[in-house]
Structures are given as structure tokens and as C-alpha cells.
């Protein structure tokens, strides 16, 4: 959603690189580019003015003028200001001290309230709650049936005493649902209310009547993030007419420019509490302003990725796979298949890769990634016998032909998979033993045994190494000998003195973002 904004901001920051100090003209030019980027992203004009003013004021301060790297300081300022306009801190649900917590959903028709009600119910189930859905949208055709289907999908009961389609009183249904929740011991009630194609008096009055009847602990305004400035106008109208405690943004995976997400909090003063970013029932989570700001600035969202991985991955299985990588030939195609299946639980590879820092430059490649390729790989492996998965070396020509036929693929596809598996296993085993990636010469801290691709100094008489007469080559040889001695001493990072390793520097030498230093550790 924020692709255009991210690209414009990235281009703006590129112009600052290499500058030792920022002049007044540099600050004005940067502010102008940021203003244009925000306006193109459909951010409300008052928000743009306030944001750019805050950035310019801080950019002229001592924190930038005395900085060694002004470009990084400007990025830091923009990140902090983005966090501020997105709400600052993560706003969490307030639960009732006694009785069921009542959550009422409001919004226009088409915003995705009914689907979001089920997503919220599933999310609450994961928080060890026992939610109940209430079908109080009795006007839209088949709204009750849709909620029942969605409730069945997420395993949450639906209270639907009326068939809907224009019959029944939604206020009576909402009021009766509270007693039903108490009777059936549900601790959260989620009320799905009717929407309209536009804001009108009848819609507002019905929402008010339901609110007054059930006295909800939280009223959440559901808004389609793709409708741009209309989202802010509608949000303000509902705030004035009904009132609500928080906003839920739907369709964040769309191709809109994202200005609504950046404007609603600042205009209405109400926090964005949740965000839905896909069609699956699991594509829903708390809205974290700091993480969203990091995504906009192409700094990744490692915390969300880690949280999702913790939910999806079997820690015991992952530990066994890691142990097998430490043994030569221990990691099999069966292990690879299991790991791949666990990764699929995280969602699409495009979404996963998009959470990594610096992936904005590969956006086109990610968007063109064929998710079905993983299914094809899985089909090939599942067409193998258990013995072939355990020991891929026994897969000869006739076996490959049989596997190709069984998976509906070409023999060349099977050959490619097996060859790639051997290459990947060799690399992973080398890294697991503290070596490094084969074929990457001269990488301090990433070489195990003899450096692949690095020439060994020629030996003279009695096995002694000849020292080159070229001073540059002699220095290079000395450094190689020092690293080799460190490796022999059991320290593969070329650090014989035992000093602390600079992982950020290692990440830089590997041409990786500094955030990857934690993975090197």
C-alpha cells in the first residue's frame, strides 16, 4: 500500500548521502520532497503541514548540525515523526472487569465489517478468550448467513436469532446477545452492525440505539484503507454522530496510496487499533505505529516476522533440523520439506520477504514471484519414496523419471531441485559449523577451513611460505596467515586476540543491512 510513499522517501534520502553537513537549502529541498511524497500518498493537507513543519524544525536543531551522518539523522527524525502521526504507542483492547467484554463494530457498507468480525474473533481465541459473534446486521442481503459461515470457519459460535434480509430488530438482537453470552459463559461479545453506502441519519440513529442498549466497552470504526480522503471524512462523521474508541483499517494489502492510515489518527484523535491485510482469517493483528513507520521507510518489520515465526514454527522440530545441519549429510529432503511446510504457515513468501529490511529495491521481483513454485517443489519431494528423501544420492536416472511423472513435472525440474538441495545443504552445513558461505573469498568472519577462491601462498623449501616482494601482496599474505592462525585456534572470525566481534561491520562487509547483525550473532 505504501509503495509509492516508500519509493519517494527513499529517493529523497539518497540525495542526502555523502553530505558532511546539511545547509538550509538542503533542509528546505528535503522538506519539499517529503511534502510532495505525502501529498501523492493522499495524506490530508493539515497532517502534511504539521508533519513537514516538525521535521524541518528538528532538522535545523543541534541533533543534525553536529551529527557525523546527517542523512541517517534525517531518516531517524522522519521515522519518529511517522510514529507520532500514526499514534505513538500501540493501543490495546480494554476488557471489562466483570461480565463479558462487548465490542461493537461500526462503519460503511463494503468496509469489510462482517469478515473483520470473524478475524477479530479468531485473534481473540488466540489470546485465550472465548468470543461470541452477534449478527445484528439485519438489512444487507445474506449478511447473517455470511457471518455464520465465517464463524464456522474460525470455530466461533454466532448468535443469530433473526434471519435478516430486512426483517428483525437489530437493537433487540444486540440486547439479547449479552444475556446469551452470560448464559453460555462467553467472555467477549462482538456485534456486527449494519452499514450504508453513505453516511445518513438512519444509519447514525441505529448505531446510537445499539450503543445505548448494550453499553459497549469498545466501539471500533471499521474503514476501508483504499478509499483515500473519504476515509477521513467518514471517520470524522461517525465520530461526531456516534462516537468510537478506535479505528480498524481493512484492505491494507491493496494498491491504494495509504494516506488514510496516516491521516485518521491525526484528524480524529482516535488510535488505529487493528489492521487487516489479506483475505485469510489470520491476516489480522494489532496495529503497531513504530513497525508501520519502519515498513514505510523500508527498514523492515523484523518483530512482526519473529512473532509470526514463533506462532508457526515447531521449536522441537526446528532444533532437530539445526542439529542435523551440524552433521555432514544429516539434513535430508524430508527435513527440507518439513521446514518448507512450516514456512508456508507464515503466509505468502512475498509478504514474508517484504518484512525484511531493504527489500523495497526488490519490490518488482517480489510482486512477480510465483507462489505456486513452492507447491511444485513440494509435489516433487512428495513423489519420492522415504528412502529417496533420506538419501537423495540414490536418485538415479530411472528414479528421476518416475518422480517427474508422479509429480507432473519435467525430469529437468527434478534434476534442478536435487542439485540445488545438495548446494544449499553444503552451504548450510558450512555455516552451522562456524564456517561460512562457500565461494565467498576474503570475508573476515565468514570463512571456514581454507578460503574458497583465495589463492594459497606458494610454499618454498622445507614447506616454508615465500613472502612476496610486492609490499601490498606481502601485507595481504600476512593478513591471510593471521586469519588462518585464528581459525586453527578455534576462532573462525579472524579474531586471535579475543576482542569482541563487530557484527555490524561483518554485516557491512557481507553487503547486508546492519539489522542482519543479530543473525550473524
Amino acid at each position: 500500500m505504501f509503495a509509492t510513499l516508500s519509493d519517494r522517501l527513499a529517493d529523497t534520502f539518497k540525495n542526502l548521502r555523502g553530505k558532511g553537513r546539511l545547509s538550509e537549502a538542503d533542509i528546505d529541498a528535503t522538506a519539499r520532497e517529503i511534502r510532495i511524497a505525502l501529498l501523492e500518498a493522499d495524506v490530508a493537507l493539515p497532517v502534511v503541514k504539521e508533519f513537514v513543519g516538525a521535521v524541518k524544525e528538528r532538522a535545523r536543531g543541534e541533533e543534525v548540525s553536529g551529527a557525523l551522518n546527517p542523512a541517517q539523522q534525517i531518516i531517524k527524525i522522519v521515522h519518529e515523526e511517522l510514529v507520532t502521526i500514526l499514534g505513538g504507542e500501540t493501543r490495546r483492547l480494554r476488557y471489562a472487569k466483570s461480565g463479558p467484554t462487548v465490542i461493537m463494530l461500526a462503519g460503511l457498507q463494503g468496509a469489510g465489517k462482517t469478515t473483520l468480525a470473524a478475524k477479530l474473533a479468531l485473534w481473540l481465541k488466540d489470546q485465550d478468550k472465548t468470543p461470541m459473534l452477534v449478527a445484528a446486521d439485519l438489512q444487507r442481503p445474506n449478511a447473517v448467513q455470511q457471518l455464520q459461515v465465517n464463524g464456522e470457519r474460525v470455530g466461533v459460535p454466532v448468535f443469530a436469532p433473526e434471519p435478516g434480509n430486512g426483517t428483525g430488530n437489530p437493537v433487540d438482537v444486540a440486547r439479547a446477545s449479552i444475556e446469551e453470552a452470560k448464559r453460555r459463559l462467553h467472555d467477549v461479545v462482538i456485534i456486527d452492525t449494519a452499514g450504508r453506502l453513505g453516511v445518513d441519519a438512519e444509519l447514525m440513529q441505529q448505531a446510537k440505539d445499539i450503543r445505548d442498549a448494550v453499553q459497549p466497552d469498545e466501539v471500533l470504526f471499521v474503514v476501508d484503507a483504499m478509499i483515500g480522503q473519504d476515509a477521513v471524512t467518514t471517520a470524522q462523521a461517525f465520530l461526531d454522530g456516534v462516537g468510537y474508541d478506535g479505528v480498524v483499517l481493512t484492505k491494507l494489502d491493496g494498491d491504494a496510496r495509504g494516506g488514510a492510515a496516516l491521516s485518521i489518527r491525526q484528524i480524529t484523535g482516535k488510535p488505529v487499533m487493528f489492521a487487516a491485510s489479506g483475505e485469510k482469517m489470520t491476516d489480522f493483528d494489532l496495529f503497531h505505529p513504530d513497525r508501520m513507520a519502519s515498513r514505510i521507510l523500508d527498514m523492515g518489520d523484523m518483530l512482526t516476522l519473529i512473532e509470526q515465526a514463533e506462532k508457526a514454527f515447531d521449536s522441537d522440530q526446528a532444533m532437530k533440523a539445526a542439529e542435523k545441519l551440524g552433521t555432514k549429510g544429516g539434513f535430508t529432503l524430508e527435513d527440507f520439506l518439513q521446514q518448507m511446510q512450516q514456512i508456508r504457515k507464515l503466509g505468502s513468501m512475498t509478504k514474508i520477504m517484504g518484512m525484511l529490511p531493504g527489500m523495497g529495491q526488490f519490490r518488482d521481483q517480489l510482486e512477480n514471484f510465483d507462489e505456486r513454485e513452492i507447491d511444485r517443489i513440494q509435489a516433487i519431494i512428495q513423489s519420492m519414496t522415504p528412502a529417496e528423501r533420506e538419501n537423495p544420492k540414490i536418485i538415479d536416472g530411472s528414479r528421476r523419471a518416475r518422480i517427474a511423472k508422479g509429480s507432473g513435472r519435467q525430469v529437468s525440474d527434478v534434476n534442478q531441485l536435487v542439485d540445488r538441495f545438495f548446494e544449499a545443504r553444503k552451504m548450510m552445513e558450512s555455516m552451522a559449523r562456524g564456517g561460512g558461505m562457500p565461494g565467498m573469498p576474503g570475508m573476515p568472519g565468514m570463512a571456514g577451513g581454507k578460503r574458497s577462491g583465495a589463492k594459497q601462498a606458494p610454499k618454498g623449501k622445507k614447506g616454508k611460505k615465500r613472502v612476496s616482494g610486492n609490499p601490498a601482496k606481502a601485507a595481504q599474505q600476512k593478513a591471510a596467515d593471521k586469519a588462518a592462525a585464528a581459525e586453527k585456534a578455534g576462532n573462525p572470525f579472524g579474531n586471535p586476540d579475543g576482542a569482541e566481534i563487530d557484527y555490524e561491520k561483518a554485516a557491512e562487509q557481507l553487503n547486508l543491512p546492519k539489522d542482519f547483525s543479530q543473525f550473524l550473532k
Side-chain angles (χ1 to χ4, degrees):
M1 171 162 281
F2 295 104
T4 305
L5 177 59
S6 296
D7 292 342
R8 285 300 299 258
L9 290 176
D11 291 340
T12 302
F13 299 141
K14 277 180 188 175
N15 297 330
L16 297 177
R17 287 176 189 165
K19 292 183 180 289
R21 193 175 291 273
L22 291 182
S23 65
E24 192 71 25
D26 290 330
I27 293 173
D28 288 340
T30 302
R32 185 168 56 252
E33 290 298 319
I34 292 173
R35 182 186 295 109
I36 292 170
L38 292 172
L39 289 172
E40 285 185 349
D42 217 13
V43 179
L45 185 59
V47 179
V48 174
K49 286 182 176 178
E50 187 174 339
F51 182 87
V52 174
V55 170
K56 284 181 72 172
E57 184 179 347
R58 291 183 60 184
R60 292 191 178 104
E62 289 298 318
E63 60 181 310
V64 170
S65 61
L68 293 174
N69 191 335
Q72 290 181 354
Q73 287 293 333
I74 290 290
I75 294 172
K76 177 174 176 287
I77 290 170
V78 171
H79 179 267
E80 289 173 355
E81 292 300 323
L82 276 175
V83 172
T84 300
I85 68 168
L86 285 169
E89 295 182 354
T90 304
R91 162 74 156 81
R92 299 177 186 274
L93 280 174
R94 292 187 298 252
Y95 295 105
K97 293 180 180 178
S98 61
T101 299
V102 181
I103 301 172
M104 174 182 161
L105 303 181
L108 294 181
Q109 187 172 310
K113 288 192 304 302
T114 304
T115 302
L116 187 125
K119 288 184 177 183
L120 176 58
L122 179 60
W123 184 83
L124 286 165
K125 273 184 66 179
D126 292 338
Q127 310 298 313
D128 296 324
K129 300 293 181 182
T130 54
M132 181 181 80
L133 291 164
V134 179
D137 181 356
L138 305 179
Q139 293 171 323
R140 181 169 63 85
N142 297 320
V144 174
Q145 289 82 353
Q146 183 188 350
L147 188 65
Q148 288 173 326
V149 170
N150 287 339
E152 189 175 337
R153 286 175 65 190
V154 298
V156 173
V158 177
F159 180 68
E162 298 287 351
N165 297 321
T167 62
N169 187 326
V171 178
D172 292 342
V173 170
R175 189 182 290 112
S177 69
I178 308 302
E179 295 303 317
E180 180 70 7
K182 290 178 181 177
R183 187 180 68 81
R184 296 172 61 179
L185 303 179
H186 290 285
D187 54 10
V188 181
V189 176
I190 303 169
I191 303 175
D192 177 32
T193 63
R196 297 286 193 284
L197 294 175
V199 177
D200 59 34
E202 187 182 352
L203 167 64
M204 291 298 182
Q205 190 57 51
Q206 188 182 99
K208 281 181 186 176
D209 292 342
I210 294 174
R211 181 198 64 192
D212 295 341
V214 300
Q215 294 294 310
D217 299 282
E218 296 276 17
V219 179
L220 302 182
F221 175 66
V222 183
V223 62
D224 182 345
M226 295 182 67
I227 64 174
Q229 288 300 305
D230 281 345
V232 180
T233 307
T234 307
Q236 188 63 51
F238 264 87
L239 184 63
D240 297 338
V242 182
Y244 51 81
D245 304 293
V247 177
V248 183
L249 290 173
T250 62
K251 306 177 188 176
L252 269 180
D253 57 327
D255 57 2
R257 290 170 288 184
L262 295 172
S263 305
I264 284 180
R265 169 65 176 83
Q266 203 76 349
I267 296 292
T268 65
K270 298 298 180 181
V272 178
M273 291 176 59
F274 295 98
S277 58
E279 296 179 1
K280 294 182 180 178
M281 289 296 168
T282 51
D283 292 334
F284 174 87
D285 208 346
L286 282 168
F287 183 85
H288 299 279
D290 54 341
R291 301 184 193 182
M292 183 57 71
S294 294
R295 287 195 197 186
I296 292 171
L297 295 179
D298 198 22
M299 294 160 65
D301 188 357
M302 295 304 299
L303 286 175
T304 298
L305 186 56
I306 290 166
E307 286 175 0
Q308 291 182 1
E310 285 176 344
K311 292 178 187 175
F313 276 74
D314 183 329
S315 56
D316 293 336
Q317 198 177 76
M319 187 66 71
K320 287 176 184 176
E323 288 172 0
K324 286 186 175 184
L325 281 172
T327 308
K328 189 170 183 180
F331 192 77
T332 67
L333 276 167
E334 183 65 39
D335 299 316
F336 175 65
L337 178 62
Q338 290 176 356
Q339 293 298 307
M340 191 166 64
Q341 287 171 338
Q342 291 202 53
I343 290 173
R344 288 302 297 271
K345 293 178 184 176
L346 291 174
S348 72
M349 289 300 294
T350 303
K351 186 179 290 187
I352 295 169
M353 296 298 289
M355 290 184 189
L356 298 176
M359 294 304 290
Q361 57 189 316
F362 306 114
R363 188 174 293 115
D364 290 341
Q365 293 93 317
L366 288 177
E367 287 175 355
N368 293 325
F369 177 76
D370 187 358
E371 297 283 348
R372 292 172 299 177
E373 188 61 33
I374 297 175
D375 295 326
R376 295 177 190 124
I377 293 171
Q378 187 169 311
I380 292 172
I381 297 175
Q382 289 178 330
S383 295
M384 298 176 184
T385 65
E388 289 166 345
R389 295 183 204 176
E390 284 295 319
N391 183 16
K393 289 183 179 179
I394 68 171
I395 304 177
D396 55 19
S398 61
R399 288 175 183 264
R400 294 184 187 215
R402 190 204 78 244
I403 293 166
K405 190 175 181 180
S407 59
R409 308 301 301 161
Q410 300 294 322
V411 173
S412 58
D413 296 328
V414 181
N415 293 340
Q416 192 177 48
L417 172 62
V418 174
D419 293 344
R420 282 184 176 179
F421 171 74
F422 283 130
E423 289 174 11
R425 184 171 71 177
K426 183 180 178 183
M427 181 186 74
M428 290 188 291
E429 286 174 352
S430 177
M431 294 178 74
R433 292 194 299 270
M437 286 183 274
M440 295 185 70
M443 288 290 185
M446 293 300 289
K450 293 183 180 179
R451 283 188 168 84
S452 174
K455 291 182 180 179
Q456 297 295 310
K459 292 187 178 182
K461 291 180 181 179
K462 297 182 181 179
K464 292 184 178 179
K465 290 184 179 178
R466 269 203 308 265
V467 178
S468 172
N470 184 319
K473 287 186 177 180
Q476 188 179 17
Q477 181 181 322
K478 186 176 179 182
D481 292 342
K482 185 178 179 181
E487 278 181 359
K488 194 173 181 180
N491 186 345
F493 281 89
N495 192 26
D497 299 324
E500 188 175 346
I501 298 163
D502 188 344
Y503 287 97
E504 286 194 2
K505 190 174 181 181
E508 185 180 348
Q509 288 172 323
L510 285 168
N511 198 27
L512 295 169
K514 285 186 178 180
D515 295 20
F516 275 74
S517 58
Q518 58 182 307
F519 295 107
L520 296 180
K521 292 180 184 179

mmCIF file of all heavy atoms in Angstrom, residues 116-134:
data_model
loop_
_atom_site.group_PDB
_atom_site.id
_atom_site.type_symbol
_atom_site.label_atom_id
_atom_site.label_comp_id
_atom_site.label_asym_id
_atom_site.label_seq_id
_atom_site.Cartn_x
_atom_site.Cartn_y
_atom_site.Cartn_z
ATOM 1 N N LEU A 116 -14.260 -8.908 9.073
ATOM 2 C CA LEU A 116 -13.364 -8.484 10.143
ATOM 3 C C LEU A 116 -13.844 -8.979 11.506
ATOM 4 O O LEU A 116 -13.032 -9.277 12.385
ATOM 5 C CB LEU A 116 -13.252 -6.960 10.149
ATOM 6 C CG LEU A 116 -12.192 -6.480 11.128
ATOM 7 C CD1 LEU A 116 -11.182 -5.594 10.432
ATOM 8 C CD2 LEU A 116 -12.809 -5.741 12.291
ATOM 9 N N ALA A 117 -15.159 -9.082 11.686
ATOM 10 C CA ALA A 117 -15.683 -9.589 12.959
ATOM 11 C C ALA A 117 -15.148 -10.993 13.233
ATOM 12 O O ALA A 117 -14.745 -11.315 14.358
ATOM 13 C CB ALA A 117 -17.216 -9.594 12.913
ATOM 14 N N ALA A 118 -15.129 -11.838 12.185
ATOM 15 C CA ALA A 118 -14.613 -13.202 12.343
ATOM 16 C C ALA A 118 -13.106 -13.197 12.567
ATOM 17 O O ALA A 118 -12.581 -13.998 13.364
ATOM 18 C CB ALA A 118 -14.961 -14.033 11.104
ATOM 19 N N LYS A 119 -12.390 -12.305 11.881
ATOM 20 C CA LYS A 119 -10.933 -12.212 12.074
ATOM 21 C C LYS A 119 -10.611 -11.802 13.516
ATOM 22 O O LYS A 119 -9.701 -12.351 14.143
ATOM 23 C CB LYS A 119 -10.330 -11.189 11.100
ATOM 24 C CG LYS A 119 -10.295 -11.648 9.654
ATOM 25 C CD LYS A 119 -9.600 -10.605 8.782
ATOM 26 C CE LYS A 119 -9.477 -11.076 7.342
ATOM 27 N NZ LYS A 119 -8.742 -10.111 6.504
ATOM 28 N N LEU A 120 -11.364 -10.829 14.017
ATOM 29 C CA LEU A 120 -11.167 -10.377 15.401
ATOM 30 C C LEU A 120 -11.475 -11.508 16.377
ATOM 31 O O LEU A 120 -10.759 -11.702 17.375
ATOM 32 C CB LEU A 120 -12.055 -9.162 15.675
ATOM 33 C CG LEU A 120 -12.060 -8.615 17.108
ATOM 34 C CD1 LEU A 120 -10.662 -8.215 17.540
ATOM 35 C CD2 LEU A 120 -13.018 -7.417 17.220
ATOM 36 N N ALA A 121 -12.534 -12.272 16.103
ATOM 37 C CA ALA A 121 -12.904 -13.397 16.975
ATOM 38 C C ALA A 121 -11.787 -14.441 17.011
ATOM 39 O O ALA A 121 -11.440 -14.955 18.090
ATOM 40 C CB ALA A 121 -14.197 -14.028 16.481
ATOM 41 N N LEU A 122 -11.197 -14.745 15.855
ATOM 42 C CA LEU A 122 -10.093 -15.711 15.805
ATOM 43 C C LEU A 122 -8.885 -15.193 16.557
ATOM 44 O O LEU A 122 -8.223 -15.938 17.294
ATOM 45 C CB LEU A 122 -9.723 -15.999 14.349
ATOM 46 C CG LEU A 122 -8.567 -16.982 14.123
ATOM 47 C CD1 LEU A 122 -8.886 -18.347 14.727
ATOM 48 C CD2 LEU A 122 -8.253 -17.113 12.634
ATOM 49 N N TRP A 123 -8.584 -13.900 16.393
ATOM 50 C CA TRP A 123 -7.464 -13.286 17.110
ATOM 51 C C TRP A 123 -7.675 -13.367 18.627
ATOM 52 O O TRP A 123 -6.746 -13.656 19.384
ATOM 53 C CB TRP A 123 -7.326 -11.827 16.662
ATOM 54 C CG TRP A 123 -6.152 -11.117 17.263
ATOM 55 C CD1 TRP A 123 -4.851 -11.130 16.843
ATOM 56 C CD2 TRP A 123 -6.175 -10.264 18.423
ATOM 57 N NE1 TRP A 123 -4.065 -10.354 17.651
ATOM 58 C CE2 TRP A 123 -4.852 -9.803 18.626
ATOM 59 C CE3 TRP A 123 -7.174 -9.842 19.289
ATOM 60 C CZ2 TRP A 123 -4.512 -8.945 19.675
ATOM 61 C CZ3 TRP A 123 -6.826 -8.991 20.339
ATOM 62 C CH2 TRP A 123 -5.513 -8.552 20.519
ATOM 63 N N LEU A 124 -8.919 -13.119 19.064
ATOM 64 C CA LEU A 124 -9.228 -13.202 20.496
ATOM 65 C C LEU A 124 -9.101 -14.636 21.013
ATOM 66 O O LEU A 124 -8.687 -14.863 22.150
ATOM 67 C CB LEU A 124 -10.637 -12.662 20.748
ATOM 68 C CG LEU A 124 -10.785 -11.137 20.657
ATOM 69 C CD1 LEU A 124 -12.247 -10.732 20.561
ATOM 70 C CD2 LEU A 124 -10.123 -10.463 21.862
ATOM 71 N N LYS A 125 -9.475 -15.607 20.166
ATOM 72 C CA LYS A 125 -9.303 -17.016 20.550
ATOM 73 C C LYS A 125 -7.835 -17.313 20.822
ATOM 74 O O LYS A 125 -7.500 -18.025 21.773
ATOM 75 C CB LYS A 125 -9.807 -17.942 19.437
ATOM 76 C CG LYS A 125 -11.292 -18.264 19.506
ATOM 77 C CD LYS A 125 -11.696 -19.253 18.422
ATOM 78 C CE LYS A 125 -11.066 -20.616 18.631
ATOM 79 N NZ LYS A 125 -11.492 -21.584 17.590
ATOM 80 N N ASP A 126 -6.953 -16.764 19.996
ATOM 81 C CA ASP A 126 -5.519 -16.953 20.191
ATOM 82 C C ASP A 126 -5.015 -16.269 21.460
ATOM 83 O O ASP A 126 -3.935 -16.596 21.959
ATOM 84 C CB ASP A 126 -4.734 -16.415 18.984
ATOM 85 C CG ASP A 126 -4.969 -17.242 17.727
ATOM 86 O OD1 ASP A 126 -5.374 -18.416 17.865
ATOM 87 O OD2 ASP A 126 -4.754 -16.721 16.616
ATOM 88 N N GLN A 127 -5.806 -15.303 21.961
ATOM 89 C CA GLN A 127 -5.465 -14.632 23.227
ATOM 90 C C GLN A 127 -6.141 -15.333 24.418
ATOM 91 O O GLN A 127 -6.256 -14.765 25.498
ATOM 92 C CB GLN A 127 -5.926 -13.165 23.198
ATOM 93 C CG GLN A 127 -5.510 -12.380 21.968
ATOM 94 C CD GLN A 127 -4.020 -12.254 21.819
ATOM 95 O OE1 GLN A 127 -3.331 -11.930 22.782
ATOM 96 N NE2 GLN A 127 -3.507 -12.508 20.628
ATOM 97 N N ASP A 128 -6.596 -16.568 24.185
ATOM 98 C CA ASP A 128 -7.243 -17.385 25.233
ATOM 99 C C ASP A 128 -8.569 -16.806 25.706
ATOM 100 O O ASP A 128 -8.957 -16.954 26.877
ATOM 101 C CB ASP A 128 -6.299 -17.572 26.433
ATOM 102 C CG ASP A 128 -5.049 -18.347 26.055
ATOM 103 O OD1 ASP A 128 -5.155 -19.265 25.227
ATOM 104 O OD2 ASP A 128 -3.971 -18.011 26.576
ATOM 105 N N LYS A 129 -9.290 -16.132 24.797
ATOM 106 C CA LYS A 129 -10.632 -15.645 25.095
ATOM 107 C C LYS A 129 -11.660 -16.587 24.460
ATOM 108 O O LYS A 129 -11.325 -17.404 23.595
ATOM 109 C CB LYS A 129 -10.824 -14.230 24.542
ATOM 110 C CG LYS A 129 -9.846 -13.201 25.103
ATOM 111 C CD LYS A 129 -10.078 -12.939 26.578
ATOM 112 C CE LYS A 129 -9.124 -11.890 27.112
ATOM 113 N NZ LYS A 129 -9.310 -11.661 28.578
ATOM 114 N N THR A 130 -12.908 -16.460 24.894
ATOM 115 C CA THR A 130 -13.985 -17.274 24.315
ATOM 116 C C THR A 130 -15.042 -16.337 23.721
ATOM 117 O O THR A 130 -16.061 -16.046 24.357
ATOM 118 C CB THR A 130 -14.630 -18.178 25.385
ATOM 119 O OG1 THR A 130 -15.050 -17.362 26.493
ATOM 120 C CG2 THR A 130 -13.652 -19.221 25.869
ATOM 121 N N PRO A 131 -14.803 -15.829 22.518
ATOM 122 C CA PRO A 131 -15.708 -14.838 21.929
ATOM 123 C C PRO A 131 -16.992 -15.440 21.368
ATOM 124 O O PRO A 131 -17.074 -16.639 21.085
ATOM 125 C CB PRO A 131 -14.862 -14.231 20.808
ATOM 126 C CG PRO A 131 -13.941 -15.344 20.408
ATOM 127 C CD PRO A 131 -13.640 -16.105 21.666
ATOM 128 N N MET A 132 -17.984 -14.583 21.191
ATOM 129 C CA MET A 132 -19.231 -14.944 20.517
ATOM 130 C C MET A 132 -19.568 -13.832 19.531
ATOM 131 O O MET A 132 -19.482 -12.648 19.867
ATOM 132 C CB MET A 132 -20.368 -15.110 21.530
ATOM 133 C CG MET A 132 -21.699 -15.521 20.881
ATOM 134 S SD MET A 132 -23.053 -15.679 22.087
ATOM 135 C CE MET A 132 -23.521 -13.951 22.292
ATOM 136 N N LEU A 133 -19.930 -14.208 18.301
ATOM 137 C CA LEU A 133 -20.303 -13.234 17.275
ATOM 138 C C LEU A 133 -21.809 -12.989 17.301
ATOM 139 O O LEU A 133 -22.589 -13.918 17.555
ATOM 140 C CB LEU A 133 -19.882 -13.746 15.897
ATOM 141 C CG LEU A 133 -18.365 -13.795 15.635
ATOM 142 C CD1 LEU A 133 -18.055 -14.675 14.425
ATOM 143 C CD2 LEU A 133 -17.812 -12.396 15.433
ATOM 144 N N VAL A 134 -22.209 -11.763 17.036
ATOM 145 C CA VAL A 134 -23.629 -11.404 17.061
ATOM 146 C C VAL A 134 -24.024 -10.805 15.706
ATOM 147 O O VAL A 134 -23.430 -9.821 15.257
ATOM 148 C CB VAL A 134 -23.928 -10.389 18.184
ATOM 149 C CG1 VAL A 134 -25.403 -10.009 18.174
ATOM 150 C CG2 VAL A 134 -23.517 -10.947 19.532
#
